Amino acid sequence: MPRNDNTPNTTQCLAAGGLAGIAVDTALFPLDTIKTRLQAKAGFLASGGFRGIYSGLSSAIIGSSPGAAMFFLTYEQIKASFERSNIAKEYQPLAHMAAASAGEVAACLVRVPTEVIKQRLQAKHHSSLGKAIRGTYQTEGLLGFYRGYLTQVVREIPFTCIQFPIYEYLKQWHATRNGRQIRSWEAALCGSVAGATAAALTTPLDVVKTRVMLSTKGMGAHLEYNGIVGTLTRIAQEEGVRALFSGIVPRTVWISVGGFVFLGSYEKAKEIMLDAGVFSNK
């Protein structure tokens, strides 16, 4: 793999990733809310239906910028280290999988607490951000904010292992086919296709993540969910396999459009900063 001279530095990764995270989370938040309510045990209407579809937006905004920045910082630096090692072409997808997986593990440290609060607000478990934070802390302590961390990581790693190799392959294919560097809007289209594919295939893991994050200690055995395999099995047995694909349409549309906005915004912000020398170390 040839060395890419356009690898952004640490500050550029943080800035571009942060801008991309805010852009996609604010623009597509209603679709995320609908998806969460479709996946909730109580059902779509009982969880709020189409009312208050911006519930939890404040929590999402708080976590979107640092979470996205952490992901891209880790992803770009690990990908660059593989490029410097001149890894063989046939192993490039594995390099992208490893870089993306490491990025998700790092990002989830920031993203999970805000995701827990966001989903509980979306499902109408609490009426305000402050009440959601206090309620989670009083019921489960600090660990309550990381409820579902492992579940989210297990969801995100297969997702990124599908999305980013497809994304990087499509970008390389398009650049080779046209004999020039790919433009940001073209990278956005590649991100949209890759995101939609990964979203549809990993919906069952997303349903599990939602159920685990929405459940709290003491809410009753019939409502509390723990563990990935146990939750998958329980949903399939109690509600049928079809329930594992609840919210697949809004999730796929959300991440398809989100992939366009997120990766397109990231590539454009990175391109502008690299061309203008913004935050450059030189």
Side-chain angles (χ1 to χ4, degrees):
M1 183 187 294
R3 173 79 174 98
N4 181 4
D5 293 329
N6 290 322
T7 299
N9 61 34
T10 298
T11 306
Q12 289 167 337
C13 285
L14 290 171
L19 289 171
I22 291 175
V24 72
D25 282 345
T26 53
L28 301 174
F29 191 80
L31 278 174
D32 182 39
T33 300
I34 291 169
K35 183 268 302 181
T36 297
R37 291 175 179 177
L38 284 169
Q39 293 176 346
K41 173 71 172 175
F44 179 70
L45 293 177
S47 297
F50 290 104
R51 301 186 310 275
I53 56 175
Y54 282 95
S55 298
L57 178 60
S58 55
S59 181
I61 291 175
I62 291 170
S64 62
S65 181
M70 184 67 75
F71 172 81
F72 279 114
L73 172 63
T74 307
Y75 177 72
E76 291 283 5
Q77 297 305 314
I78 291 180
K79 188 175 75 167
S81 70
F82 281 116
E83 290 174 350
R84 287 192 293 269
S85 66
N86 294 316
I87 188 172
K89 185 176 180 179
E90 58 268 26
Y91 295 117
Q92 289 182 18
L94 293 176
H96 297 147
M97 288 180 186
S101 297
E104 288 296 352
V105 171
C108 282
L109 292 171
V110 177
R111 191 183 296 152
V112 168
T114 57
E115 183 77 4
V116 168
I117 298 302
K118 179 199 75 173
Q119 290 205 316
R120 292 179 180 184
L121 287 168
Q122 287 176 323
K124 300 297 183 182
H125 287 193
H126 302 279
S127 59
S128 69
L129 178 64
K131 288 180 179 178
I133 293 172
R134 288 194 299 272
T136 299
Y137 180 74
Q138 290 170 358
T139 305
E140 302 173 86
L142 290 175
L143 289 179
F145 294 100
Y146 280 92
R147 186 177 183 88
Y149 174 81
L150 180 60
T151 308
Q152 176 136 337
V153 169
V154 169
R155 183 202 69 172
E156 296 293 4
I157 288 179
F159 178 86
T160 54
C161 284
I162 296 169
Q163 182 188 32
F164 275 85
I166 293 175
Y167 174 59
E168 296 288 356
Y169 170 79
L170 290 174
K171 287 200 303 179
Q172 291 175 12
W173 172 81
H174 192 79
T176 302
R177 182 170 177 266
N178 291 282
R180 59 169 172 76
Q181 191 172 12
I182 192 169
R183 298 187 177 98
S184 57
W185 69 268
E186 294 167 331
L189 286 174
C190 294
S192 179
V193 173
T197 304
L201 293 174
T202 58
T203 296
L205 291 174
D206 188 56
V207 173
V208 169
K209 188 267 300 182
T210 297
R211 294 290 180 92
V212 171
M213 284 188 171
L214 289 180
S215 65
T216 57
K217 290 181 179 179
M219 67 187 305
H222 67 295
L223 293 174
E224 187 174 352
Y225 291 87
N226 287 292
I228 300 163
V229 176
T231 301
L232 271 171
T233 304
R234 181 179 163 188
I235 293 171
Q237 290 176 343
E238 293 181 356
E239 303 169 56
V241 174
R242 186 176 179 178
L244 292 171
F245 290 89
S246 300
I248 187 171
V249 173
R251 172 173 162 78
T252 302
V253 173
W254 166 49
I255 294 182
S256 176
V257 178
F260 184 92
V261 176
F262 185 61
L263 293 170
S265 299
Y266 174 71
E267 294 288 350
K268 188 63 178 178
K270 185 175 72 172
E271 177 185 301
I272 291 171
M273 285 187 285
L274 287 168
D275 289 345
V278 178
F279 302 131
S280 175
N281 294 327
K282 295 180 181 180

